[in-house]
Amino acid sequence: MIAKAHSATLSGIDALPIVIEIDLQPWRDVSIILVGLADQAVAESKERVRAAINNSGFSMPKKTVMCNLAPGDIRKQGPWLDLPIACTILASDGVLPISELEQTVILGELGLDGKLRPIDGAVSVALMALEKGFKRLILPKQNAPEAAVALGLSVYGVTSLLEAVELLNGSPLIFPETFDDSPEARMPEYMVDFSDVKGQKHAVRALEIAAAGGHNVLMVGPPGSGKTMLARRLPTILPPLSLEESVAVTRIHSSSGQKQKDGLIWERPFRAPHHSASHAAIVGGGKNPKPGEISMAHFGCLFMDEMPEFDRTVLEALRQPLEDGIVTVARVQNTVTFPAECILVGAMNPCPCGFRGLPEQKCISTPSSCIKYAGKISGPLLDRIDIHIEVPRLKPDELMDKSGGEESALIRERVLRARALQGKRLGGSRVNAKMSPRETREMVALDAECDQFMRQVSARMNISARVFDRILRVGRTIADLDGSDVVKKSHLAEAVQYRERVVV
């Protein structure tokens, strides 16, 4: 009799259903024959499964084991098919009932001793199983807390092949995982706060606007002016993640191999890749495409320190994700799409040596080298960055000030009020930075005074249509922070000052 079990494989961050079929054939030698477009990690599961079954107190059937992984046109990746293959072999040999495998999805990597190791993409697998109508999910115990978010699906975490067999045989001692949705579980703990920041009120105000409207930021200033310190505190003033956002963030991190011990991720991501990072590391890719840093920063912040030092192709690849909020990685075999809706925070020096404009230190950069340095960030990419600010070094009085800055909690309250207004206006969790050109015209109605002001700005600054719309969106965010239903000239004037070119 052919035994069947259900499992899954990952394609990007999405889980695809896999059916494992086992047929015991007595007319060949004792071996495992594996077919179904398996990669090297799956092909090596034959030896792990054999050792795990023998070391768990069972015996491999004295027959040829024909194992088919269906559908045959999907490449199966990763070692997490070990457990379902082992369970299907034991079911075909009568150790456990075949009927118990019908409505169950099983995943897990086996050690030679039969113990289970955690897998990637547990959240994606759980959501797929729930969508396909399965009733039960069996996977390693370390992955059970994050998979339990699929309410309506019984999620069982097991530690070994033996425990999985006991569960499938009806053991009453193994209980399903429960999802912890308490407010305490959702409350992230940040180790940094804006109260640590001295001075830089202009920069803090700009980051507050960025957090309220989801706007990208570029900070320009000499070394030691606090650009990195400011950027690392931006997540502390962003609104808490909703359940849907937390699931989306956890799916990305889990599928990339970053297992979660305590369930879902509730803290806004902050990613700060080194400027030597490759194109695939930032955008995503590889032979089996994995999320890049811009996707790992989904619903959080991507901080690119020393931005001009990144490879030009890497910077140009950011243009489409910043505009659309997704990354599309095309390969010959398939095309994978990763979410990438984050706030980009760039930081750079005013010149190659970093000391231009400082009276106490001499700048050794030539004018031509300054132009070349600033030109590493192209105009189209700069157009997609809404807020440009200069971060100067602190004055002695500011350095000696012991009062500190405003606490993140107080700034976050204003951000939450502004986002609430945007939610009523745009629906859901959309922010002003993601408004379409048509929505921008509708949501930012200019009176005669504002219309004349923007005409003067357009003529003086010679801005593009994209920059014009982005000024209006930043102005709309400033009005939301001010609690105003109407965008006034003062709001637009503040938005314009964030578009003044602060680099050569």
Side-chain angles (χ1 to χ4, degrees):
M1 180 181 294
I2 296 177
K4 297 182 180 180
H6 300 275
S7 191
T9 188
L10 286 179
S11 176
I13 64 171
D14 297 320
L16 304 177
I18 298 296
V19 177
I20 298 169
E21 300 175 323
I22 296 291
D23 186 20
L24 301 183
Q25 301 177 352
W27 45 272
R28 293 187 180 180
D29 58 342
V30 178
S31 62
I32 300 178
I33 301 175
L34 190 63
V35 296
L37 204 59
D39 71 355
Q40 187 63 29
V42 179
E44 291 175 350
S45 66
K46 296 186 293 185
E47 306 308 321
R48 291 194 297 269
V49 167
R50 188 195 308 274
I53 288 177
N54 291 329
N55 291 325
S56 297
F58 308 107
S59 298
M60 277 291 295
K62 303 301 182 182
K63 300 176 182 179
T64 297
V65 177
M66 176 64 72
C67 179
N68 177 45
L69 308 177
D73 60 341
I74 296 178
R75 179 165 293 278
K76 290 77 182 178
Q77 305 170 9
W80 43 83
L81 296 180
D82 292 0
L83 181 60
I85 290 175
C87 289
T88 314
I89 291 175
L90 294 176
S92 65
D93 201 31
V95 176
L96 55 89
I98 295 178
S99 60
E100 289 296 315
L101 303 178
E102 293 178 358
Q103 294 295 316
T104 303
V105 175
I106 307 174
L107 295 102
E109 178 187 351
L110 286 171
L112 299 182
D113 58 355
K115 300 294 184 182
L116 285 173
R117 297 187 176 95
I119 63 170
D120 298 341
V123 176
S124 298
V125 173
L127 296 176
M128 180 277 295
L130 183 64
E131 180 185 352
K132 297 296 182 182
F134 290 96
K135 304 299 182 184
R136 180 169 57 180
L137 172 63
I138 300 176
L139 74 173
K141 196 171 187 64
Q142 299 95 316
N143 299 112
E146 58 180 287
V149 70
L151 302 178
L153 182 72
S154 298
V155 177
Y156 290 87
V158 294
T159 60
S160 64
L161 171 61
L162 179 59
E163 193 172 341
V165 171
E166 291 176 351
L167 173 62
L168 291 168
N169 277 323
S171 172
L173 302 178
I174 304 175
F175 303 97
E177 189 76 20
T178 57
F179 176 57
D180 185 4
D181 194 27
S182 61
E184 293 78 13
R186 291 191 177 202
M187 186 60 63
E189 294 183 5
Y190 294 103
M191 304 304 295
V192 295
D193 195 277
F194 266 102
S195 61
D196 305 327
V197 178
K198 296 181 179 180
Q200 305 296 8
K201 296 187 182 301
H202 176 67
V204 173
R205 167 65 174 174
L207 291 180
E208 179 181 342
I209 296 170
H215 303 286
N216 302 317
V217 183
L218 176 62
M219 297 186 288
V220 182
S225 58
K227 300 185 296 294
T228 301
M229 184 179 189
L230 288 163
R232 290 190 179 278
R233 283 152 179 77
L234 180 57
T236 67
I237 61 174
L238 290 172
L241 289 171
S242 65
L243 177 59
E244 293 76 13
E245 291 173 335
S246 177
V247 169
V249 172
T250 307
R251 285 185 65 194
I252 297 171
H253 286 248
S254 180
S255 63
S256 66
Q258 299 186 11
K259 284 85 174 177
Q260 307 305 315
K261 295 182 179 180
D262 302 320
L264 299 182
I265 297 174
W266 293 105
E267 185 174 320
R268 293 272 180 179
F270 179 85
R271 307 293 297 187
H274 191 262
H275 59 75
S276 62
S278 66
H279 181 280
I282 299 296
V283 180
K287 182 180 179 181
N288 300 320
K290 293 285 187 180
E293 289 292 332
I294 193 169
S295 295
M296 299 292 284
H298 186 52
F299 289 136
C301 305
L302 175 65
F303 177 51
M304 302 186 76
D305 198 8
E306 303 295 342
M307 198 170 178
E309 300 300 331
F310 282 83
D311 189 85
R312 181 66 178 261
T313 59
V314 172
L315 294 177
E316 293 306 306
L318 297 176
R319 287 158 58 176
Q320 181 251 339
L322 292 179
E323 195 78 22
D324 302 332
I326 59 172
V327 172
T328 302
V329 179
R331 293 292 181 266
V332 174
Q333 295 178 344
N334 64 342
T335 299
V336 179
T337 299
F338 298 115
E341 193 170 316
C342 64
I343 297 177
L344 172 67
V345 181
M348 60 181 292
N349 296 324
C351 64
C353 72
F355 302 125
R356 186 168 65 115
L358 292 180
E360 65 273 14
Q361 288 181 278
K362 183 179 179 180
C363 175
I364 61 174
S365 302
T366 63
S368 60
S369 67
C370 291
I371 295 174
K372 183 178 179 181
Y373 176 76
K376 292 181 179 179
I377 306 178
S378 68
L381 181 56
L382 285 172
D383 278 358
R384 289 167 170 81
I385 301 177
D386 300 348
I387 298 176
H388 301 213
I389 56 173
E390 188 170 1
V391 184
R393 277 192 178 174
L394 295 178
K395 298 177 182 179
D397 291 343
E398 293 174 321
L399 285 172
M400 299 305 296
D401 185 10
K402 297 182 180 180
S403 61
E406 190 175 13
E407 293 183 358
S408 294
L410 298 177
I411 303 175
R412 187 168 59 246
E413 288 180 4
R414 297 195 294 268
V415 170
L416 286 171
R417 288 195 293 268
R419 290 236 179 170
L421 293 175
Q422 295 168 52
K424 293 179 181 178
R425 188 186 311 119
L426 301 172
S429 59
R430 294 185 62 206
V431 291
N432 289 332
K434 301 303 178 184
M435 288 193 296
S436 66
R438 177 179 295 180
E439 289 175 324
T440 303
R441 297 293 190 276
E442 295 174 353
M443 306 299 178
V444 190
L446 301 180
D447 58 20
E449 183 182 21
C450 292
D451 183 272
Q452 180 63 27
F453 174 74
M454 290 307 298
R455 288 178 184 272
Q456 295 173 354
V457 169
S458 301
R460 182 175 66 86
M461 299 178 64
N462 192 27
I463 57 178
S464 65
R466 178 185 288 116
V467 173
F468 184 89
D469 282 350
R470 290 183 179 275
I471 290 176
L472 296 183
R473 292 168 192 161
V474 174
R476 177 67 267 177
T477 300
I478 296 171
D480 290 337
L481 285 169
D482 199 27
S484 174
D485 293 332
V486 179
V487 179
K488 303 176 183 178
K489 179 182 175 181
S490 60
H491 303 142
L492 294 174
E494 184 177 358
V496 167
Q497 73 171 341
Y498 296 125
R499 289 302 313 191
E500 294 286 353
R501 190 62 60 88
V502 294
V503 294
V504 177

